[in-house]
Amino acid sequence: IESDPVTDAAPDNTMQEPSYEEKVAELETILKRLDEGETPIDQLAEDVKRGAKLIKELDKKLRDVESEVKDAFAELEHSNAE
């Protein structure tokens, strides 16, 4: 039996996580559709779930960045005090 390099290859894990800005843009699109009543009823629950997920991810990213910035300033203050 010959191996097929296409089907035997390792899974492609090169898909990058969408950027913060891309997630914000997607959330804005969802919110605009909901606000304008353009969401078909069959899609409504999915849009609301996706919007909620995006809000959680965006909030976490903001908190992580805030923590990194605080740590950087604390490190800077510590090195200036020496």
Side-chain angles (χ1 to χ4, degrees):
I1 301 176
E2 290 184 36
S3 67
D4 181 349
V6 173
T7 57
D8 292 345
D12 184 8
N13 292 330
T14 59
M15 292 274 304
Q16 283 190 314
E17 175 84 9
S19 71
Y20 181 88
E21 290 75 15
E22 290 169 331
K23 289 180 180 183
V24 168
E26 182 182 355
L27 180 58
E28 288 173 342
T29 299
I30 290 170
L31 292 174
K32 183 179 178 210
R33 265 197 322 257
L34 292 172
D35 187 47
E36 294 176 356
E38 295 178 6
T39 305
I41 194 73
D42 294 332
Q43 183 66 33
L44 184 61
E46 281 303 310
D47 277 0
V48 171
K49 287 179 193 175
R50 179 64 182 156
K53 182 175 189 251
L54 287 167
I55 290 169
K56 281 180 67 174
E57 291 173 1
L58 293 167
D59 183 61
K60 181 183 182 323
K61 180 65 173 177
L62 283 175
R63 291 176 190 272
D64 291 348
V65 169
E66 180 182 31
S67 178
E68 289 177 34
V69 169
K70 284 181 180 179
D71 290 348
F73 276 113
E75 187 177 313
L76 182 61
E77 287 177 6
H78 178 71
S79 66
N80 284 341
E82 293 178 353

